[in-house]
Amino acid sequence: MKQPNSGSGTTELKRGLKARHLTMISLGGSIGTGLFLASGGAIHSAGPGGALIAYAAIGIMVYFLMTSLGELSAYMPVSGSFSTYASRFVDPALGFALGWNYWFNWAITIAAELSAATLIMKFWLPDSPSILWSLLFLVLMFSLNYLSVRGYGESEYWFALIKIVTVIVFIIVGILMIFGIIGGESVGFSNFTLGDAPVSGGFMAILGVFMAAGFSFQGTELVGVAAGESENPRENVPKAIRTIFWRILLFYILAIFIIGLLIPYTSDNLISGDVENIAISPFTLVFEKAGLAFAASVMNAVILTSVLSAGNSGMYASTRMIWTLAREGKAPRFLAKLDKRGVPVVALIATAAVGMFAFLASMFGDGVVYIWLLNASGMCGFIAWLGIAVSHYRFRRAYKAQGRDLRDLPYLAKWFPFGPIFALTVCIVVILGQNYSAISESGVDWAGLIASYIGIPLFLIVWIAYKVKKKTKVLRLEECRFDD
């Protein structure tokens, strides 16, 4: 459903996101703990060359996905994004399932980020109560979203800027170290030829990193949700999408290349970096090697902003998705209410409550319920990406089948139909290969297998249940709606 250029009080969301907000949401969406922490484990597992191959392959997939989303969201900027697109161009049942899948994914992510932020604060204040920090950060995320869409956009702008500046400084320091200008002697390419490097562990090691790399890029699709509240989506969305190739190249490929050059992939420190041990994040290790003694505290602060950014984005995305579902009659109607500032407050409260309950579940009964929730949500991001690829393929085919001129599109994704087909294929490989190691010659780890793949049957149950109840069918190309 298209929305007018400005919100109309209590019936439409406010278009308050400027071009700089949308660009930073796009830039910052994929920079987080996946780069600052998990990249070290990827290099240790597959060697510097193997990690680069895996991240480059996923990066290409994400590039095609985002150009697909760019074509859709520039033409039809709605906060329901791929849920609405799937309903219009594939099957209303698929749109229903994708919408609830995405809401669940981000609602549980809020809980995960609250847990991570609490652990990070214990780096400075080890004896402080966890519940205090979780409540404080939940109130902060809620408040930033409650103020207005501009409040979310402005906070994400500064969160993303901190991450981007950190990566740029890291790259500059790293290059100076590689050539021996700071930090001692030049290391050159010695670590790329160490042991089995550049690729260690063969194809299966690369495949394992390939799966993990997909999680690192999740969040890039937020620009599609935010397009529904952009001031000028026909211009701002394409501008944000065009930065994606350079972001992947600069922030991931170059950063991982520098880590691989400076730290031997055999170093056990690379597999120890997590939110409980910021001191051995690969970024911290490189900064300390350069002689920056305060590196651990600085990286702790940067990773805290990344975690808060992810939680803040989760609050925004899940609120907008469930608001759209309510508007379309696919969620309880009361969730579609807006206040006089155009903020979906009821949907925001409901989302924050679910996130808090999930967080509390992590503190009781050894966190068994929470672990299952996290496992179920782990697959959700890939399912959403799969939905984007399918929706774009159908959108373009329906657009041409109805005699429309491609030159009228505000943004045209290149390499069609290769782009969405390639992205769809890679998504399916990633989804099916999530826990390939659970099946081995010694038998099947059924508990691990079920935990990894529980998200797929849950998604299919929601999709099929709606399809049976509403008797929906896959739309013919001539039936797809481009206008209200």
Side-chain angles (χ1 to χ4, degrees), residues 9 23 71 82 115-116 133 148 171 256 259 293 295 321 377 454 466:
T23 299
E71 181 170 305
F82 24 91
S115 298
W133 294 116
S148 66
I171 289 170
I256 289 172
I259 294 168
M321 188 59 73
S377 70
I454 187 68
Y466 188 87

Side-chain angles (χ1 to χ4, degrees), residues 290-307:
L292 303 176
F294 53 85
S297 286
V298 171
M299 281 310 302
N300 199 61
V302 170
I303 292 168
L304 178 62
T305 64
S306 295
V307 165

Side-chain angles (χ1 to χ4, degrees), residues 263-285:
I263 304 174
Y265 79 93
T266 52
S267 171
D268 290 336
N269 283 337
L270 287 176
I271 57 171
S272 304
D274 56 38
V275 291
E276 294 184 77
N277 205 343
I278 305 300
I280 41 184
S281 151
F283 276 63
T284 308
L285 291 171

Side-chain angles (χ1 to χ4, degrees), residues 6 28 160 176 182 243 290 294 299 466:
S6 61
L176 292 175
I182 62 173
T243 67
F294 53 85
M299 281 310 302
Y466 188 87

Side-chain angles (χ1 to χ4, degrees), residues 140-149 151-152 155 311-313 315-317 319-320 341 343-344 348:
L140 175 63
M141 294 172 193
F142 181 90
S143 300
L144 290 171
N145 280 271
Y146 176 74
L147 290 172
S148 66
V149 68
Y152 163 72
S155 60
N312 191 38
S313 294
M315 191 82 77
Y316 171 81
T319 296
R320 266 50 182 187
R341 295 167 298 122
V343 176
L348 178 61

Side-chain angles (χ1 to χ4, degrees), residues 226-300:
E229 293 173 89
S230 170
E231 284 183 341
N232 188 354
R234 294 178 74 87
E235 291 184 11
N236 295 346
V237 170
K239 191 181 298 183
I241 293 296
R242 289 188 188 104
T243 67
I244 284 174
F245 175 77
W246 300 109
R247 172 181 66 202
I248 292 168
L249 187 68
L250 178 65
F251 295 138
Y252 272 89
I253 305 304
L254 188 52
I256 289 172
F257 179 65
I258 288 171
I259 294 168
L261 283 174
L262 293 174
I263 304 174
Y265 79 93
T266 52
S267 171
D268 290 336
N269 283 337
L270 287 176
I271 57 171
S272 304
D274 56 38
V275 291
E276 294 184 77
N277 205 343
I278 305 300
I280 41 184
S281 151
F283 276 63
T284 308
L285 291 171
V286 169
F287 282 138
E288 287 182 339
K289 198 172 181 181
L292 303 176
F294 53 85
S297 286
V298 171
M299 281 310 302
N300 199 61

Side-chain angles (χ1 to χ4, degrees), residues 193-438:
T193 56
L194 181 70
D196 295 331
V199 177
S200 173
F203 174 76
M204 295 310 288
I206 294 175
L207 184 62
V209 174
F210 188 77
M211 305 301 167
F215 287 98
S216 298
F217 285 105
Q218 287 191 13
T220 51
E221 76 287 339
L222 282 167
V223 68
V225 179
E229 293 173 89
S230 170
E231 284 183 341
N232 188 354
R234 294 178 74 87
E235 291 184 11
N236 295 346
V237 170
K239 191 181 298 183
I241 293 296
R242 289 188 188 104
T243 67
I244 284 174
F245 175 77
W246 300 109
R247 172 181 66 202
I248 292 168
L249 187 68
L250 178 65
F251 295 138
Y252 272 89
I253 305 304
L254 188 52
I256 289 172
F257 179 65
I258 288 171
I259 294 168
L261 283 174
L262 293 174
I263 304 174
Y265 79 93
T266 52
S267 171
D268 290 336
N269 283 337
L270 287 176
I271 57 171
S272 304
D274 56 38
V275 291
E276 294 184 77
N277 205 343
I278 305 300
I280 41 184
S281 151
F283 276 63
T284 308
L285 291 171
V286 169
F287 282 138
E288 287 182 339
K289 198 172 181 181
L292 303 176
F294 53 85
S297 286
V298 171
M299 281 310 302
N300 199 61
V302 170
I303 292 168
L304 178 62
T305 64
S306 295
V307 165
L308 293 178
S309 171
N312 191 38
S313 294
M315 191 82 77
Y316 171 81
S318 49
T319 296
R320 266 50 182 187
M321 188 59 73
I322 202 169
W323 176 82
T324 300
L325 289 169
R327 282 264 304 229
E328 296 175 348
K330 296 172 181 174
R333 287 286 185 181
F334 70 89
L335 293 169
K337 292 181 181 178
L338 297 174
D339 68 7
K340 61 183 180 182
R341 295 167 298 122
V343 176
V345 176
V346 180
L348 178 61
I349 293 171
T351 297
V354 170
M356 190 59 191
F357 282 132
F359 172 78
L360 291 174
S362 71
M363 302 179 69
F364 298 100
D366 296 326
V368 174
V369 173
Y370 178 61
I371 290 168
W372 276 94
L373 287 173
L374 271 183
N375 286 331
S377 70
M379 198 72 77
C380 295
F382 294 109
I383 292 172
W385 285 357
L386 194 146
I388 293 170
V390 172
S391 297
H392 177 232
Y393 181 79
R394 290 274 302 178
F395 167 83
R396 181 73 78 86
R397 288 193 60 203
Y399 197 85
K400 293 192 72 173
Q402 293 185 23
R404 296 171 179 265
D405 192 340
L406 292 178
R407 289 174 294 184
D408 294 335
L409 292 172
Y411 175 78
L412 191 67
K414 297 176 182 178
W415 294 76
F416 184 91
F418 173 78
I421 291 173
F422 175 80
L424 177 69
T425 303
V426 175
C427 271
I428 291 172
V429 170
V430 172
I431 287 171
L432 295 180
Q434 275 307 302
N435 195 2
Y436 64 89
S437 59

Side-chain angles (χ1 to χ4, degrees), residues 19-47:
R20 66 184 181 90
H21 293 140
L22 211 60
T23 299
M24 279 301 193
I25 289 168
S26 171
L27 280 168
S30 65
I31 304 173
T33 54
L35 177 60
F36 294 133
L37 296 172
S39 56
I43 292 169
H44 184 83
S45 298

